[in-house]
């Protein structure tokens, strides 16, 4: 297979998703026109960092980038996994950006993956590490991922812009996932959450908890929001605070909402940020995120809008069996994911709107992905 | 009628997500739609193109969107101190009416 045909794509959007799908389906990709009109054209720092990470966990994976970085040639290899890996995620995006694809790839690795990621643990752009622990992992278990070996430990927290956080991620390997019929969203039975603060007074956390509780109190009494105040080396290099909430339902679904507040990083790509100069006071943060979570609950579905993409991806990677899931309104990223899944894996979902509840039902037959690399050993 | 609107919604969603590729399945629907709407057969001819343009536009719009799965709808944050809103959502919680939620 010396001469392999490259799948041609253009545009720099959804790079992570494309590379993950390319790796899982062993499709070499050639991506052109990556951010060609930016002030600094080509791949962004975090995207290059993600490519380096891929090289780290894969064997025989070839990455070619042209001089300006607007063209990328990617030949996927075999996901190896391995222990005691370390990756510096940089400071342009938080660790959440890297965790999402890493989790999916780790499941189909040859050996269990155990990696230390350094960078920003919480920011407002990506799901926070707390959300991964509270929401994403329970979701993985639905798909037959064993809970032994699935771990995310937050050693140090780091806020933008200077980061300094450190998490330890362990992902077990699976032979294949199991298809799900996951349509019962149940009723919310409790709300959990965790706040964090780095290099600011722990009083910030209490204010956030108090404000968020105030919103939930008219619904149910079982609300526990923990605080995680970090100081010293565990607090990273920048001040920041934030909150991650999760609503658990009677049928075991988890809906999450999170955010983090910290000073804006200096973007090397201009014109993308509309960061506020003033930080949002903790009370408003609590109220806002509690309201967002209630919005997610109101919308219905077995996962929140943030996890739709991952849910669809996992469904598509299941054995050749019917998966059926219910979500609320389709999120833009979820739609993008559906399109890419069809392009790479040839899995097309049957999407039906459920007018009585305002939710969307999705059905698909998985592509039957097996962990081939594991069989050989 | 309810069934028909239901099926139309289905194709619309499929079309929205997958663009014109879902056309074969949509043609069947359009045929029995045409009695209700004043869509002549000639309109079928134009539909795919319009769809293509729309999809293209969406792509252009997405060109520089941040690659992030996180979707927080800040624009739609409601004031949850409103009694009416609280009552509307009450049945999604275990503290609400169970029989109501089971429907």
């Amino acid at each position: 297979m010396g001469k392999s045909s490259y799948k041609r794509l253009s545009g720099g959007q959804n790079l992570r998703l494309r590379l993950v799908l390319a790796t899982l389906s062993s499709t070499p990709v050639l991506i052109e026109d990556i951010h060609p009109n930016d002030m600094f054209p080509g791949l962004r720092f975090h995207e290059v960092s993600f490519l380096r990470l891929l090289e780290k966990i894969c064997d025989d994976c070839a990455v070619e980038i042209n001089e300006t970085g607007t063209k990328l040639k990617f030949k996927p290899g075999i996901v190896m996994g391995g222990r005691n890996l370390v990756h510096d995620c940089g400071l342009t995006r938080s660790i959440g950006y890297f965790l999402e694809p890493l989790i999916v790839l780790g499941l189909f690795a040859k050996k269990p993956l155990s990696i230390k990621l350094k960078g920003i643990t919480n920011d407002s752009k990506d799901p926070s590490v707390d959300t991964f622990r509270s929401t994403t992992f329970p979701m993985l278990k639905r798909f037959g991922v064993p809970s032994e070996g699935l771990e995310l430990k937050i050693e140090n927290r780091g806020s933008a812009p200077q980061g300094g956080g450190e998490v330890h991620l362990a992902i077990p390997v699976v032979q294949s996932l199991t298809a799900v019929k996951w349509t019962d969203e149940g009723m919310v039975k409790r709300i959990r959450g965790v706040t964090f603060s780095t290099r600011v007074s722990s009083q910030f956390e209490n204010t956030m908890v108090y404000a968020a509780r105030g919103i939930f109190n008219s619904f149910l009494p079982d609300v526990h929001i923990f605080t995680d105040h970090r100081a010293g080396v565990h607090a990273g290099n920048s001040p920041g605070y934030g909150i991650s909430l999760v609503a658990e339902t009677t049928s075991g679904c988890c809906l999450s909402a999170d955010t983090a507040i910290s000073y804006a990083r200096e973007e090397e790509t201009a014109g993308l940020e509309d960061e506020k100069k003033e930080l949002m006071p903790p009370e408003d943060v609590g109220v806002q995120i509690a309201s967002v979570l209630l919005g997610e609950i109101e919308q219905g579905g077995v996962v929140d809008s943030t996890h739709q993409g991952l849910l669809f991806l996992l469904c598509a990677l299941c054995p050749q069996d019917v998966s059926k899931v219910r979500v609320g309104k389709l999120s833009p990223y979820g739609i993008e994911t559906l399109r890419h899944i069809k392009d790479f894996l040839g899995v097309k979902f049957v999407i039906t709107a459920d007018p009585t509840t305002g939710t969307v039902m999705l059905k698909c037959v998985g592509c039957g992905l097996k962990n081939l690399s594991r069989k050989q050993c | 009628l309810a069934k028909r609107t239901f099926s139309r919604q289905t194709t619309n969603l499929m079309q929205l997500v997958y663009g014109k590729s879902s056309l074969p399945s949509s043609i069947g629907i359009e045929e029995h739609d045409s009695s209700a709407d004043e869509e002549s057969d000639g309109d079928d001819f134009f539909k795919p193109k319009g769809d293509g343009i729309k999809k293209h536009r969406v792509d252009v719009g997405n060109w520089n969107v941040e690659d992030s799965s996180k979707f927080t709808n800040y624009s739609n944050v409601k004031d949850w101190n409103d009694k009416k809103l609280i009552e509307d959502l009450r049945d999604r919680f275990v503290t609400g009416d169970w029989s109501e939620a089971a429907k």
Side-chain angles (χ1 to χ4, degrees):
Chain A
M1 254 194 40
K3 261 278 186 242
S4 47
S5 58
Y6 284 83
K7 191 181 174 70
R8 296 177 87 90
L9 299 164
S10 80
Q13 74 275 35
N14 301 102
L15 186 80
R16 285 183 303 170
L17 191 60
R18 285 172 168 178
L19 294 181
V20 167
L21 284 166
T23 307
L24 291 175
S25 60
S26 314
T27 322
V29 284
L30 178 67
I31 305 177
E32 285 168 290
D33 295 335
I34 303 171
H35 313 304
N37 299 323
D38 286 1
M39 197 162 70
F40 297 96
L43 288 163
R44 310 248 165 84
F45 182 80
H46 51 265
E47 291 168 342
V48 176
S49 179
F50 178 58
L51 285 165
R52 295 272 165 270
L53 178 62
L54 277 180
E55 284 182 326
K56 227 170 254 181
I57 62 166
C58 294
D59 240 16
D60 193 28
C61 150
V63 179
E64 273 176 57
I65 305 169
N66 77 344
E67 239 167 78
T68 48
T70 51
K71 213 165 161 186
L72 165 73
K73 220 179 198 182
F74 177 74
K75 188 175 83 63
I78 299 165
V79 189
M80 292 301 284
R83 307 212 156 269
N84 301 325
L85 297 170
V86 181
H87 183 72
D88 189 351
C89 296
L91 300 171
T92 47
R93 286 296 281 266
S94 74
I95 290 173
Y97 176 86
F98 299 88
L99 280 177
E100 289 178 325
L102 207 51
I103 284 171
V104 180
L105 288 178
L107 293 175
F108 293 97
K110 188 167 181 171
K111 283 179 277 182
L113 178 70
S114 160
I115 189 166
K116 196 182 270 181
L117 298 164
K118 291 179 184 171
I120 297 163
T121 54
N122 301 65
D123 80 348
S124 51
K125 256 190 247 164
D126 292 290
S128 77
V129 286
D130 305 297
T131 306
F132 276 95
R133 279 161 61 115
S134 65
T135 313
T136 315
F137 285 180
M139 197 173 123
L140 289 176
K141 282 169 198 160
R142 287 247 167 194
F143 286 89
V145 177
S147 47
E148 306 93 64
L150 185 65
E151 195 185 38
L152 180 66
K153 224 189 319 187
I154 304 163
E155 314 264 6
N156 305 328
R157 282 190 189 265
S159 305
Q162 290 303 315
E166 195 178 298
V167 301
H168 186 266
L169 173 78
I171 297 285
V173 289
V174 293
Q175 193 79 58
S176 67
L177 301 167
T178 48
V180 290
K181 287 216 170 33
W182 195 11
T183 53
D184 179 20
E185 52 207 20
M187 282 174 281
V188 179
K189 63 174 178 186
R190 61 180 175 210
I191 289 170
R192 293 287 179 268
V194 60
T195 63
F196 80 94
S197 58
T198 58
R199 294 188 174 264
V200 293
S201 157
S202 61
Q203 200 54 43
F204 277 67
E205 297 188 63
N206 298 337
T207 315
M208 278 188 286
V209 172
Y210 184 78
R213 281 195 70 103
I215 300 286
F216 293 128
N217 268 345
S218 46
F219 292 104
L220 86 169
D222 194 359
V223 180
H224 281 283
I225 303 169
F226 302 96
T227 57
D228 183 14
H229 177 67
R230 299 291 177 113
V233 285
H234 298 298
N237 307 326
S238 302
Y241 52 92
I243 183 165
S244 161
L245 294 173
V246 53
E248 289 172 36
T249 70
T250 45
S251 59
C253 307
C254 293
L255 306 170
S256 73
D258 70 71
T259 196
I261 303 292
S262 61
Y263 288 100
R265 64 194 77 163
E266 274 155 46
E267 287 286 315
E268 67 272 72
T269 49
L272 270 169
E273 284 307 290
D274 53 342
E275 292 284 354
K276 308 140 207 140
K277 293 280 180 290
E278 290 278 311
L279 295 186
M280 191 189 251
E283 195 183 346
D284 294 0
V285 176
V287 170
Q288 188 192 46
I289 288 306
S291 305
V292 169
L293 183 65
L294 287 176
E296 292 282 352
I297 294 168
E298 186 187 30
Q299 184 176 284
V302 294
V303 296
D304 51 74
S305 336
T306 303
H307 284 89
Q308 281 182 14
L310 183 61
L311 176 73
F312 300 152
L313 185 55
L314 290 172
C315 283
L317 295 174
C318 278
Q320 290 182 335
D321 199 354
V322 180
S323 287
K324 198 172 171 189
V325 292
R326 182 203 294 272
V327 298
K329 242 167 73 186
L330 285 172
S331 70
Y333 186 79
I335 293 171
E336 284 296 316
T337 311
L338 287 173
R339 287 181 186 152
H340 279 98
I341 286 172
K342 183 171 157 273
D343 281 354
F344 279 93
L345 304 171
V347 174
K348 199 167 160 186
F349 285 73
V350 176
I351 308 163
T352 2
D354 187 348
T356 51
T357 54
T359 53
V360 180
M361 298 283 264
L362 292 108
K363 270 185 287 186
C364 81
V365 177
C367 72
L369 187 78
K370 287 240 171 65
N371 195 343
L372 291 172
S373 48
R374 197 186 158 201
K375 242 182 199 168
Q376 288 157 5
C377 64
Chain B
L1 185 81
K3 204 176 175 189
R4 191 189 294 169
T5 39
F6 185 73
S7 64
R8 194 186 299 167
Q9 228 167 358
T10 310
T11 32
N12 282 354
L13 270 178
M14 296 271 288
Q15 240 168 28
L16 267 175
V17 173
Y18 293 124
K20 56 184 170 181
S21 51
S22 67
L23 208 68
S25 66
S26 76
I27 282 170
I29 304 294
E30 251 162 47
E31 269 169 9
H32 81 85
D33 259 5
S34 56
S35 58
D37 304 316
E38 54 256 54
E39 276 177 352
S40 67
D41 281 20
D43 273 350
D44 278 353
F45 181 72
F46 291 107
K47 260 229 156 120
K49 198 180 165 195
D51 234 34
I53 288 170
K54 207 167 96 192
K55 197 179 169 234
H56 183 66
R57 249 185 228 146
V58 168
D59 280 350
V60 170
N62 281 344
W63 207 255
N64 267 327
V65 166
E66 284 279 355
D67 183 8
S68 167
S69 70
K70 185 157 162 177
F71 180 72
T72 315
N73 202 347
Y74 287 118
S75 58
N76 198 16
V77 173
K78 295 169 185 161
D79 177 16
W80 288 100
N81 286 319
D82 187 353
K83 282 276 178 298
K84 198 179 162 292
L85 277 175
I86 290 173
E87 284 314 310
D88 284 351
L89 195 60
R90 163 99 39 216
D91 292 335
R92 290 294 322 278
F93 289 83
V94 282
T95 47
D97 187 347
W98 283 56
S99 58
E100 196 63 34
K103 276 176 194 170

